[in-house]
Amino acid sequence: MAFSYLNKRLHCDGVDLETIAQKYGTPTYVYSESILRRNVQVLKEAFIDRGFKVSYAMKANSNPAILKLFRDYGLGVDIVSAGEYKMAERVGFTGPEINFAGVGKTIAELDLALESEIGHFNVESRFELDLLESRAAVLDKRARVLLRLNPDIDPQTHPHISTGLKRSKFGMGSEKVFHILTHSSEYPHIIFKGIHCHIGSQIVNPQPFYDLIDYLSLFTGRLHSVGVDIQHLDLGGGFGVNYEEPFEDILTTTPYLETFAEIANKKLNQFQLHIQPGRVLVANSAVLLSRVLGIKHNGDQHFVVIDGATTDIVRPALYNAYHKVSAHQESQNSKIGDVVGPVCESSDALARQRELPDFKSGDLLTIASAGAYASSMGSTYNLRPLSPEVMILKEGTAKLIRRRQSFDEMVGLYV
Ligand SMILES: Cc1ncc(COP(=O)(O)O)c(C=O)c1O
C-alpha cells in the first residue's frame, strides 16, 4: 500500500515523509505515482477497454505531471476555462482530445477553442449556443456540440456538488434540449453530436447513475421517434470515493465502476459513450503533509494548530467534508479535538471534534485524500504562498512537481 507505516513512521512508497518535510518544508502535498497509475489502470479496464471515451476532468487536479501520466493511458481532458486549455496544451493534448464544459464561456474562450478545433463543446444554455453559432460563423468553423441536459435527478450528495437537479444552474431542461435538437438546421455552424449530463460529484450510491442511464435511453428513444439520431452520450463524472478509508484501492471505495460501465453499454449500446471523471482518479493519491505549530485549549476545547490550512484544502470549510488525519509517528494515545490552520477564519479547520493522536508541537501529520479539489482549489488568502507538490515516483524517489510559490511571485502581481 502506498501510504503505510514502516517502523511506526508514515511512508509513501517506501519514502519516510519526514525526509520530504525536511527537504521541501511544510505544508506540502505528497503524491504517490503508483496510486495514480493504479487508479487510471482501473478506469482504463472498466471503461476504455469497453469502448468508452474517458476525459479527465482536470479541475480536480491540474498538475501537468498528473495530466501527462493520464494522457499516456489514452485519456482525453475535460476543461472549463482558457487556463485549463493552456495547461492541457502545454502537456501535449491535441484539439480533438479536449472537450470544453462549463456554464459560462467567454467569447475569447470560445474563439480559442474554435481555432484549436477541440473535440467538442458541452453547451449549457441557449445563449451559449447562439454565441457559439455566431463565433463559429465569424471564424468560418463548425463547432461540434453536446447539449448538457439537466435530467432533474437527485445524485444524493452534498447540495454544493449536486448539479443535475432542476433548480441548479447547470444544463438545460429536456424540453429545451429536445426543441434545439429538432430544430438543428437553425444552427448551420453547429454539428450536434449528442448529449452530456453530469448530475453531481462524490456519488457513492450508484442508483442515480442507473436512473440517468434509463432516463437517457427513454429520451434518445423519443428523439429517434421524430427522426433525430445522435451519436454521442457523455454521462459525466461524479464517481465517489471513501474519505474515511483514504488509503484503500478505488475498486474497494468505488465498487460500482464496472457494473455502471456494463449497464450503460447494455442499455445505450448504439452510442459512443463517454465519461469525464475527476475525483476518483486522484483523490486517494495524495496527502497534505503539515507540521504542528502548537497545541492550545480554549475552555475545554482542544486545538491542534498546524501550518497547513483551508488555503491548502478548502473542502472541510466548503462542504463540511471529512479528511482523515494521521500522525507521522504512529501512536496509541488519543484526544478529542480540532485540527485548525493559521488562517483568520473560524471555518479554517481541517478536522473537527475528531479523536486525534496526542500531538505535540513540531510533530508531523498528514491530511489524507488531498489529491482531488485540494491544490487545484488552493488560494493565497492571508497572502499564504501556494504550497508545493511532490510526487513519489514508483522507483521510490521524490520529484518536485510544483514549487512552493515565492513571496516575490505572490506580491509581484500587485502593480
Ligand atoms: C461537468 C463536470 N464534469 C466532470 C466533473 C468531475 O466530477 P468528479 O470529480 O466528481 O468526477 C465535474 C465536477 O465538478 C463537472 O462539473
Side-chain angles (χ1 to χ4, degrees):
M1 204 186 284
F3 291 99
S4 55
Y5 286 94
L6 268 178
N7 303 322
K8 299 197 171 217
R9 293 159 75 84
L10 192 55
H11 285 62
C12 176
D13 292 319
V15 176
D16 187 336
L17 294 183
E18 175 74 54
T19 63
I20 303 299
Q22 275 168 17
K23 182 155 183 197
Y24 300 101
T26 53
T28 291
Y29 305 92
V30 184
Y31 295 82
S32 159
E33 181 190 3
S34 69
I35 298 182
L36 289 164
R37 286 193 186 278
R38 169 75 189 141
N39 291 351
V40 67
Q41 183 66 26
V42 166
L43 272 274
K44 180 183 171 314
E45 285 170 21
F47 292 100
I48 296 180
D49 294 353
R50 285 186 169 84
F52 282 66
K53 283 183 187 284
V54 178
S55 298
Y56 168 56
M58 65 181 280
K59 61 173 79 73
N61 189 314
S62 43
N63 190 296
I66 293 173
L67 296 174
K68 221 174 259 155
L69 191 150
F70 290 166
R71 185 165 186 263
D72 291 345
Y73 285 77
L75 272 62
V77 73
D78 177 65
I79 64 164
V80 289
S81 69
E84 288 194 350
Y85 176 85
K86 292 287 175 194
M87 187 61 96
E89 185 184 45
R90 169 180 152 175
V91 167
F93 285 96
T94 60
E97 294 172 304
I98 298 173
N99 49 264
F100 197 167
V103 78
K105 305 173 183 81
T106 65
I107 289 176
E109 286 176 326
L110 293 176
D111 286 359
L112 175 67
L114 281 166
E115 296 283 17
S116 316
E117 309 274 358
I118 64 158
H120 60 256
F121 295 82
N122 292 341
V123 169
E124 301 228 6
S125 61
R126 212 188 272 269
F127 80 74
E128 184 188 341
L129 192 61
D130 291 343
L131 189 57
L132 185 58
E133 165 65 29
S134 69
R135 295 313 302 167
V138 168
L139 299 173
D140 195 20
K141 301 274 183 195
R142 292 193 79 203
R144 288 164 294 280
V145 160
L146 304 188
L147 294 177
R148 181 165 179 179
L149 170 62
N150 182 326
D152 198 21
I153 290 175
D154 184 354
Q156 299 165 26
T157 184
H158 192 281
H160 293 183
I161 46 178
S162 294
T163 53
L165 281 169
K166 203 157 56 183
R167 63 173 178 269
S168 96
K169 69 176 176 180
F170 296 101
M172 292 175 271
S174 57
E175 290 319 307
K176 205 172 285 172
V177 170
F178 189 85
H179 182 88
I180 293 170
L181 290 176
T182 48
H183 294 76
S184 56
S185 58
E186 291 172 14
Y187 297 93
H189 295 89
I190 304 282
I191 304 167
F192 291 96
K193 301 287 287 184
I195 292 170
H196 163 233
C197 292
H198 171 78
I199 56 173
S201 198
Q202 183 52 14
I203 297 171
V204 287
N205 166 11
Q207 190 54 47
F209 283 130
Y210 304 151
D211 294 346
L212 174 66
I213 290 167
D214 288 339
Y215 181 98
L216 286 172
S217 174
L218 281 174
F219 187 73
T220 52
R222 195 179 147 212
L223 283 170
H224 177 72
S225 70
V226 294
V228 176
D229 283 308
I230 55 169
Q231 296 105 49
H232 204 113
L233 282 184
D234 182 338
L235 308 174
F239 307 122
V241 299
N242 186 341
Y243 281 88
E244 311 231 343
E245 297 294 344
F247 302 134
E248 290 290 338
D249 191 278
I250 59 166
L251 280 182
T252 311
T253 63
T254 319
Y256 59 76
L257 293 172
E258 288 214 347
T259 314
F260 170 82
E262 272 165 16
I263 294 177
N265 253 347
K266 201 161 104 205
K267 296 196 174 173
L268 301 169
N269 66 347
Q270 66 273 46
F271 302 104
Q272 169 62 63
L273 294 177
H274 199 146
I275 53 165
Q276 37 176 217
R279 180 189 321 266
V280 74
L281 280 159
V282 286
N284 67 347
S285 72
V287 297
L288 180 74
L289 183 61
S290 182
R291 211 174 272 286
V292 177
L293 298 175
I295 307 293
K296 68 179 281 186
H297 297 92
N298 280 348
D300 53 6
Q301 293 296 309
H302 173 73
F303 294 100
V304 179
V305 184
I306 64 172
D307 57 7
T310 47
T311 48
D312 301 300
I313 305 185
V314 74
R315 298 187 66 259
L318 212 50
Y319 318 124
N320 199 20
Y322 177 97
H323 284 258
K324 185 169 178 157
V325 176
S326 306
H328 168 253
Q329 188 81 43
E330 209 173 15
S331 86
Q332 302 302 329
N333 305 329
S334 71
K335 266 196 174 155
I336 305 280
D338 293 4
V339 177
V340 300
V343 167
C344 303
E345 297 281 334
S346 293
S347 62
D348 181 34
L350 293 157
R352 284 190 198 277
Q353 290 306 291
R354 214 53 93 63
E355 193 164 330
L356 300 166
D358 190 9
F359 287 119
K360 297 182 305 303
S361 177
D363 283 352
L364 268 184
L365 57 76
T366 59
I367 316 285
S369 313
Y373 304 106
S375 70
S376 63
M377 290 178 118
S379 81
T380 55
Y381 182 44
N382 281 198
L383 290 186
R384 291 168 52 86
L386 297 173
S387 299
E389 298 177 279
V390 171
M391 190 182 288
I392 309 301
L393 305 181
K394 57 183 191 306
E395 312 85 62
T397 52
K399 183 178 180 206
L400 186 66
I401 57 170
R402 185 176 78 177
R403 288 186 286 109
R404 190 179 298 282
Q405 190 178 35
S406 72
F407 288 112
D408 285 348
E409 281 167 331
M410 190 175 53
V411 300
L413 286 177
Y414 298 90
V415 291

PDB file of all heavy atoms in Angstrom, residues 57 59-60 78 80 101-102 122 124 148 163 170 196 198 200-202 236-239 276-280 373, ligand 1:
ATOM      1  N   ALA A  57     -11.486  15.130 -15.877  1.00  0.00           N
ATOM      2  CA  ALA A  57     -11.947  16.481 -15.513  1.00  0.00           C
ATOM      3  C   ALA A  57     -10.822  17.151 -14.726  1.00  0.00           C
ATOM      4  O   ALA A  57     -10.681  16.943 -13.522  1.00  0.00           O
ATOM      5  CB  ALA A  57     -13.225  16.397 -14.678  1.00  0.00           C
ATOM      6  N   LYS A  59     -10.201  19.894 -13.513  1.00  0.00           N
ATOM      7  CA  LYS A  59     -10.447  20.788 -12.381  1.00  0.00           C
ATOM      8  C   LYS A  59     -10.111  20.089 -11.057  1.00  0.00           C
ATOM      9  O   LYS A  59      -9.767  20.735 -10.082  1.00  0.00           O
ATOM     10  CB  LYS A  59     -11.895  21.272 -12.367  1.00  0.00           C
ATOM     11  CG  LYS A  59     -12.911  20.143 -12.227  1.00  0.00           C
ATOM     12  CD  LYS A  59     -14.318  20.658 -12.035  1.00  0.00           C
ATOM     13  CE  LYS A  59     -14.982  21.104 -13.316  1.00  0.00           C
ATOM     14  NZ  LYS A  59     -15.378  19.990 -14.215  1.00  0.00           N
ATOM     15  N   ALA A  60     -10.187  18.748 -11.055  1.00  0.00           N
ATOM     16  CA  ALA A  60      -9.907  18.016  -9.815  1.00  0.00           C
ATOM     17  C   ALA A  60      -8.453  18.178  -9.392  1.00  0.00           C
ATOM     18  O   ALA A  60      -8.146  18.248  -8.198  1.00  0.00           O
ATOM     19  CB  ALA A  60     -10.243  16.534  -9.980  1.00  0.00           C
ATOM     20  N   ASP A  78     -11.096  17.088 -19.946  1.00  0.00           N
ATOM     21  CA  ASP A  78     -12.298  17.914 -19.887  1.00  0.00           C
ATOM     22  C   ASP A  78     -11.906  19.232 -19.234  1.00  0.00           C
ATOM     23  O   ASP A  78     -11.447  19.235 -18.090  1.00  0.00           O
ATOM     24  CB  ASP A  78     -13.337  17.166 -19.035  1.00  0.00           C
ATOM     25  CG  ASP A  78     -14.602  17.961 -18.833  1.00  0.00           C
ATOM     26  OD1 ASP A  78     -15.290  18.215 -19.827  1.00  0.00           O
ATOM     27  OD2 ASP A  78     -14.903  18.335 -17.677  1.00  0.00           O
ATOM     28  N   VAL A  80     -12.610  23.553 -18.351  1.00  0.00           N
ATOM     29  CA  VAL A  80     -13.688  24.508 -18.064  1.00  0.00           C
ATOM     30  C   VAL A  80     -13.231  25.964 -18.162  1.00  0.00           C
ATOM     31  O   VAL A  80     -13.974  26.856 -17.775  1.00  0.00           O
ATOM     32  CB  VAL A  80     -14.306  24.268 -16.663  1.00  0.00           C
ATOM     33  CG1 VAL A  80     -15.111  22.991 -16.637  1.00  0.00           C
ATOM     34  CG2 VAL A  80     -13.260  24.252 -15.583  1.00  0.00           C
ATOM     35  N   ALA A 101     -16.272  22.109 -21.143  1.00  0.00           N
ATOM     36  CA  ALA A 101     -17.526  22.152 -20.392  1.00  0.00           C
ATOM     37  C   ALA A 101     -17.620  23.493 -19.653  1.00  0.00           C
ATOM     38  O   ALA A 101     -16.726  24.334 -19.742  1.00  0.00           O
ATOM     39  CB  ALA A 101     -17.559  20.997 -19.399  1.00  0.00           C
ATOM     40  N   GLY A 102     -18.693  23.667 -18.910  1.00  0.00           N
ATOM     41  CA  GLY A 102     -18.795  24.868 -18.069  1.00  0.00           C
ATOM     42  C   GLY A 102     -19.995  25.714 -18.432  1.00  0.00           C
ATOM     43  O   GLY A 102     -20.371  25.822 -19.599  1.00  0.00           O
ATOM     44  N   ASN A 122     -19.384  21.254 -24.578  1.00  0.00           N
ATOM     45  CA  ASN A 122     -20.597  20.883 -23.853  1.00  0.00           C
ATOM     46  C   ASN A 122     -21.343  22.189 -23.601  1.00  0.00           C
ATOM     47  O   ASN A 122     -20.896  23.014 -22.809  1.00  0.00           O
ATOM     48  CB  ASN A 122     -20.271  20.193 -22.530  1.00  0.00           C
ATOM     49  CG  ASN A 122     -19.641  18.829 -22.751  1.00  0.00           C
ATOM     50  OD1 ASN A 122     -19.755  18.253 -23.830  1.00  0.00           O
ATOM     51  ND2 ASN A 122     -18.972  18.315 -21.749  1.00  0.00           N
ATOM     52  N   GLU A 124     -24.384  24.616 -22.402  1.00  0.00           N
ATOM     53  CA  GLU A 124     -25.274  24.558 -21.232  1.00  0.00           C
ATOM     54  C   GLU A 124     -26.504  25.442 -21.326  1.00  0.00           C
ATOM     55  O   GLU A 124     -27.340  25.430 -20.426  1.00  0.00           O
ATOM     56  CB  GLU A 124     -24.482  24.968 -19.979  1.00  0.00           C
ATOM     57  CG  GLU A 124     -23.286  24.092 -19.721  1.00  0.00           C
ATOM     58  CD  GLU A 124     -23.211  23.624 -18.278  1.00  0.00           C
ATOM     59  OE1 GLU A 124     -24.139  23.880 -17.502  1.00  0.00           O
ATOM     60  OE2 GLU A 124     -22.209  22.975 -17.946  1.00  0.00           O
ATOM     61  N   ARG A 148     -25.820  20.004 -22.843  1.00  0.00           N
ATOM     62  CA  ARG A 148     -25.881  19.496 -21.469  1.00  0.00           C
ATOM     63  C   ARG A 148     -27.333  19.470 -21.000  1.00  0.00           C
ATOM     64  O   ARG A 148     -27.978  20.521 -20.858  1.00  0.00           O
ATOM     65  CB  ARG A 148     -25.028  20.336 -20.521  1.00  0.00           C
ATOM     66  CG  ARG A 148     -25.096  19.768 -19.103  1.00  0.00           C
ATOM     67  CD  ARG A 148     -24.026  20.301 -18.221  1.00  0.00           C
ATOM     68  NE  ARG A 148     -24.131  19.751 -16.871  1.00  0.00           N
ATOM     69  CZ  ARG A 148     -23.293  20.043 -15.897  1.00  0.00           C
ATOM     70  NH1 ARG A 148     -22.276  20.860 -16.118  1.00  0.00           N
ATOM     71  NH2 ARG A 148     -23.451  19.520 -14.699  1.00  0.00           N
ATOM     72  N   THR A 163     -25.565  18.731  -9.255  1.00  0.00           N
ATOM     73  CA  THR A 163     -25.669  19.589 -10.439  1.00  0.00           C
ATOM     74  C   THR A 163     -26.805  19.194 -11.372  1.00  0.00           C
ATOM     75  O   THR A 163     -27.079  19.902 -12.327  1.00  0.00           O
ATOM     76  CB  THR A 163     -24.349  19.533 -11.237  1.00  0.00           C
ATOM     77  OG1 THR A 163     -24.045  18.155 -11.487  1.00  0.00           O
ATOM     78  CG2 THR A 163     -23.207  20.162 -10.474  1.00  0.00           C
ATOM     79  N   PHE A 170     -26.990  24.332 -13.774  1.00  0.00           N
ATOM     80  CA  PHE A 170     -26.316  23.592 -14.835  1.00  0.00           C
ATOM     81  C   PHE A 170     -27.290  23.009 -15.858  1.00  0.00           C
ATOM     82  O   PHE A 170     -28.370  22.530 -15.521  1.00  0.00           O
ATOM     83  CB  PHE A 170     -25.480  22.462 -14.228  1.00  0.00           C
ATOM     84  CG  PHE A 170     -24.365  22.982 -13.367  1.00  0.00           C
ATOM     85  CD1 PHE A 170     -24.474  22.988 -11.993  1.00  0.00           C
ATOM     86  CD2 PHE A 170     -23.214  23.504 -13.947  1.00  0.00           C
ATOM     87  CE1 PHE A 170     -23.451  23.488 -11.196  1.00  0.00           C
ATOM     88  CE2 PHE A 170     -22.192  24.006 -13.162  1.00  0.00           C
ATOM     89  CZ  PHE A 170     -22.311  24.000 -11.779  1.00  0.00           C
ATOM     90  N   HIS A 196     -24.859  15.579 -23.139  1.00  0.00           N
ATOM     91  CA  HIS A 196     -23.984  15.441 -21.986  1.00  0.00           C
ATOM     92  C   HIS A 196     -24.827  15.618 -20.727  1.00  0.00           C
ATOM     93  O   HIS A 196     -25.723  16.468 -20.688  1.00  0.00           O
ATOM     94  CB  HIS A 196     -22.900  16.537 -22.068  1.00  0.00           C
ATOM     95  CG  HIS A 196     -22.189  16.792 -20.783  1.00  0.00           C
ATOM     96  ND1 HIS A 196     -22.080  18.047 -20.234  1.00  0.00           N
ATOM     97  CD2 HIS A 196     -21.554  15.964 -19.942  1.00  0.00           C
ATOM     98  CE1 HIS A 196     -21.393  17.968 -19.100  1.00  0.00           C
ATOM     99  NE2 HIS A 196     -21.059  16.713 -18.905  1.00  0.00           N
ATOM    100  N   HIS A 198     -24.150  15.663 -16.305  1.00  0.00           N
ATOM    101  CA  HIS A 198     -23.267  15.440 -15.139  1.00  0.00           C
ATOM    102  C   HIS A 198     -24.120  15.788 -13.935  1.00  0.00           C
ATOM    103  O   HIS A 198     -24.421  16.956 -13.699  1.00  0.00           O
ATOM    104  CB  HIS A 198     -22.016  16.326 -15.217  1.00  0.00           C
ATOM    105  CG  HIS A 198     -21.202  16.302 -13.952  1.00  0.00           C
ATOM    106  ND1 HIS A 198     -20.370  15.266 -13.623  1.00  0.00           N
ATOM    107  CD2 HIS A 198     -21.138  17.183 -12.937  1.00  0.00           C
ATOM    108  CE1 HIS A 198     -19.816  15.499 -12.443  1.00  0.00           C
ATOM    109  NE2 HIS A 198     -20.267  16.668 -12.009  1.00  0.00           N
ATOM    110  N   GLY A 200     -23.698  15.267 -10.631  1.00  0.00           N
ATOM    111  CA  GLY A 200     -23.137  15.680  -9.346  1.00  0.00           C
ATOM    112  C   GLY A 200     -21.819  14.991  -9.094  1.00  0.00           C
ATOM    113  O   GLY A 200     -21.314  14.247  -9.937  1.00  0.00           O
ATOM    114  N   SER A 201     -21.288  15.265  -7.919  1.00  0.00           N
ATOM    115  CA  SER A 201     -19.952  14.783  -7.597  1.00  0.00           C
ATOM    116  C   SER A 201     -20.004  14.009  -6.281  1.00  0.00           C
ATOM    117  O   SER A 201     -20.938  14.178  -5.491  1.00  0.00           O
ATOM    118  CB  SER A 201     -19.042  16.004  -7.470  1.00  0.00           C
ATOM    119  OG  SER A 201     -17.706  15.647  -7.571  1.00  0.00           O
ATOM    120  N   GLN A 202     -18.983  13.166  -6.064  1.00  0.00           N
ATOM    121  CA  GLN A 202     -18.902  12.361  -4.829  1.00  0.00           C
ATOM    122  C   GLN A 202     -20.195  11.549  -4.639  1.00  0.00           C
ATOM    123  O   GLN A 202     -20.834  11.580  -3.587  1.00  0.00           O
ATOM    124  CB  GLN A 202     -18.578  13.278  -3.632  1.00  0.00           C
ATOM    125  CG  GLN A 202     -18.394  12.595  -2.286  1.00  0.00           C
ATOM    126  CD  GLN A 202     -17.400  11.439  -2.321  1.00  0.00           C
ATOM    127  OE1 GLN A 202     -16.643  11.267  -3.252  1.00  0.00           O
ATOM    128  NE2 GLN A 202     -17.390  10.610  -1.308  1.00  0.00           N
ATOM    129  N   GLY A 236     -20.905  12.089 -17.878  1.00  0.00           N
ATOM    130  CA  GLY A 236     -20.318  12.936 -16.842  1.00  0.00           C
ATOM    131  C   GLY A 236     -19.336  12.188 -15.954  1.00  0.00           C
ATOM    132  O   GLY A 236     -18.871  11.089 -16.257  1.00  0.00           O
ATOM    133  N   GLY A 237     -19.033  12.832 -14.813  1.00  0.00           N
ATOM    134  CA  GLY A 237     -18.148  12.217 -13.822  1.00  0.00           C
ATOM    135  C   GLY A 237     -18.941  12.038 -12.550  1.00  0.00           C
ATOM    136  O   GLY A 237     -20.153  11.794 -12.594  1.00  0.00           O
ATOM    137  N   GLY A 238     -18.273  12.165 -11.416  1.00  0.00           N
ATOM    138  CA  GLY A 238     -19.000  12.135 -10.150  1.00  0.00           C
ATOM    139  C   GLY A 238     -18.793  10.900  -9.313  1.00  0.00           C
ATOM    140  O   GLY A 238     -19.410  10.779  -8.246  1.00  0.00           O
ATOM    141  N   PHE A 239     -17.961   9.965  -9.788  1.00  0.00           N
ATOM    142  CA  PHE A 239     -17.764   8.727  -9.024  1.00  0.00           C
ATOM    143  C   PHE A 239     -17.159   9.066  -7.660  1.00  0.00           C
ATOM    144  O   PHE A 239     -16.115   9.708  -7.564  1.00  0.00           O
ATOM    145  CB  PHE A 239     -16.852   7.765  -9.785  1.00  0.00           C
ATOM    146  CG  PHE A 239     -17.317   7.510 -11.202  1.00  0.00           C
ATOM    147  CD1 PHE A 239     -16.503   7.784 -12.281  1.00  0.00           C
ATOM    148  CD2 PHE A 239     -18.594   7.029 -11.429  1.00  0.00           C
ATOM    149  CE1 PHE A 239     -16.951   7.575 -13.571  1.00  0.00           C
ATOM    150  CE2 PHE A 239     -19.055   6.815 -12.726  1.00  0.00           C
ATOM    151  CZ  PHE A 239     -18.224   7.096 -13.807  1.00  0.00           C
ATOM    152  N   GLN A 276     -16.404  11.625 -17.828  1.00  0.00           N
ATOM    153  CA  GLN A 276     -15.417  12.671 -17.513  1.00  0.00           C
ATOM    154  C   GLN A 276     -15.162  12.715 -16.002  1.00  0.00           C
ATOM    155  O   GLN A 276     -15.528  13.676 -15.340  1.00  0.00           O
ATOM    156  CB  GLN A 276     -15.866  14.034 -18.054  1.00  0.00           C
ATOM    157  CG  GLN A 276     -17.350  14.248 -17.944  1.00  0.00           C
ATOM    158  CD  GLN A 276     -17.802  15.626 -18.373  1.00  0.00           C
ATOM    159  OE1 GLN A 276     -18.707  16.163 -17.774  1.00  0.00           O
ATOM    160  NE2 GLN A 276     -17.216  16.198 -19.374  1.00  0.00           N
ATOM    161  N   PRO A 277     -14.522  11.673 -15.495  1.00  0.00           N
ATOM    162  CA  PRO A 277     -14.267  11.621 -14.052  1.00  0.00           C
ATOM    163  C   PRO A 277     -13.091  12.502 -13.631  1.00  0.00           C
ATOM    164  O   PRO A 277     -12.135  12.692 -14.393  1.00  0.00           O
ATOM    165  CB  PRO A 277     -13.927  10.150 -13.815  1.00  0.00           C
ATOM    166  CG  PRO A 277     -13.311   9.712 -15.114  1.00  0.00           C
ATOM    167  CD  PRO A 277     -13.967  10.514 -16.193  1.00  0.00           C
ATOM    168  N   GLY A 278     -13.169  13.001 -12.412  1.00  0.00           N
ATOM    169  CA  GLY A 278     -12.052  13.762 -11.844  1.00  0.00           C
ATOM    170  C   GLY A 278     -11.585  13.086 -10.571  1.00  0.00           C
ATOM    171  O   GLY A 278     -10.619  12.331 -10.527  1.00  0.00           O
ATOM    172  N   ARG A 279     -12.376  13.311  -9.504  1.00  0.00           N
ATOM    173  CA  ARG A 279     -12.011  12.875  -8.154  1.00  0.00           C
ATOM    174  C   ARG A 279     -11.509  11.436  -8.061  1.00  0.00           C
ATOM    175  O   ARG A 279     -10.491  11.164  -7.434  1.00  0.00           O
ATOM    176  CB  ARG A 279     -13.252  13.035  -7.272  1.00  0.00           C
ATOM    177  CG  ARG A 279     -13.072  12.639  -5.832  1.00  0.00           C
ATOM    178  CD  ARG A 279     -14.439  12.628  -5.114  1.00  0.00           C
ATOM    179  NE  ARG A 279     -15.288  13.720  -5.523  1.00  0.00           N
ATOM    180  CZ  ARG A 279     -15.376  14.892  -4.895  1.00  0.00           C
ATOM    181  NH1 ARG A 279     -14.702  15.102  -3.794  1.00  0.00           N
ATOM    182  NH2 ARG A 279     -16.169  15.836  -5.350  1.00  0.00           N
ATOM    183  N   VAL A 280     -12.239  10.486  -8.666  1.00  0.00           N
ATOM    184  CA  VAL A 280     -11.910   9.078  -8.438  1.00  0.00           C
ATOM    185  C   VAL A 280     -10.495   8.752  -8.918  1.00  0.00           C
ATOM    186  O   VAL A 280      -9.852   7.839  -8.403  1.00  0.00           O
ATOM    187  CB  VAL A 280     -12.985   8.171  -9.106  1.00  0.00           C
ATOM    188  CG1 VAL A 280     -12.823   8.151 -10.628  1.00  0.00           C
ATOM    189  CG2 VAL A 280     -12.946   6.781  -8.543  1.00  0.00           C
ATOM    190  N   TYR A 373      -9.418  18.257  -5.740  1.00  0.00           N
ATOM    191  CA  TYR A 373     -10.025  19.501  -5.241  1.00  0.00           C
ATOM    192  C   TYR A 373      -9.305  19.998  -3.988  1.00  0.00           C
ATOM    193  O   TYR A 373      -9.934  20.481  -3.046  1.00  0.00           O
ATOM    194  CB  TYR A 373     -11.530  19.295  -4.988  1.00  0.00           C
ATOM    195  CG  TYR A 373     -12.248  18.796  -6.228  1.00  0.00           C
ATOM    196  CD1 TYR A 373     -12.687  17.474  -6.344  1.00  0.00           C
ATOM    197  CD2 TYR A 373     -12.442  19.645  -7.314  1.00  0.00           C
ATOM    198  CE1 TYR A 373     -13.306  17.021  -7.499  1.00  0.00           C
ATOM    199  CE2 TYR A 373     -13.070  19.190  -8.472  1.00  0.00           C
ATOM    200  CZ  TYR A 373     -13.502  17.882  -8.544  1.00  0.00           C
ATOM    201  OH  TYR A 373     -14.108  17.445  -9.700  1.00  0.00           O
TER     202      TYR A 373
HETATM  203  C1  LIG B   1     -19.192  18.926 -15.909  1.00  0.00           C
HETATM  204  C2  LIG B   1     -18.356  18.165 -14.957  1.00  0.00           C
HETATM  205  N1  LIG B   1     -17.782  17.027 -15.358  1.00  0.00           N
HETATM  206  C3  LIG B   1     -16.996  16.296 -14.527  1.00  0.00           C
HETATM  207  C4  LIG B   1     -16.751  16.707 -13.243  1.00  0.00           C
HETATM  208  C5  LIG B   1     -15.878  15.868 -12.360  1.00  0.00           C
HETATM  209  O1  LIG B   1     -16.546  15.383 -11.278  1.00  0.00           O
HETATM  210  P1  LIG B   1     -15.845  14.370 -10.276  1.00  0.00           P
HETATM  211  O2  LIG B   1     -14.544  14.972  -9.880  1.00  0.00           O
HETATM  212  O3  LIG B   1     -16.776  14.235  -9.158  1.00  0.00           O
HETATM  213  O4  LIG B   1     -15.657  13.082 -11.024  1.00  0.00           O
HETATM  214  C6  LIG B   1     -17.333  17.880 -12.766  1.00  0.00           C
HETATM  215  C7  LIG B   1     -17.099  18.331 -11.387  1.00  0.00           C
HETATM  216  O5  LIG B   1     -17.499  19.328 -10.927  1.00  0.00           O
HETATM  217  C8  LIG B   1     -18.150  18.629 -13.650  1.00  0.00           C
HETATM  218  O6  LIG B   1     -18.719  19.768 -13.261  1.00  0.00           O
END
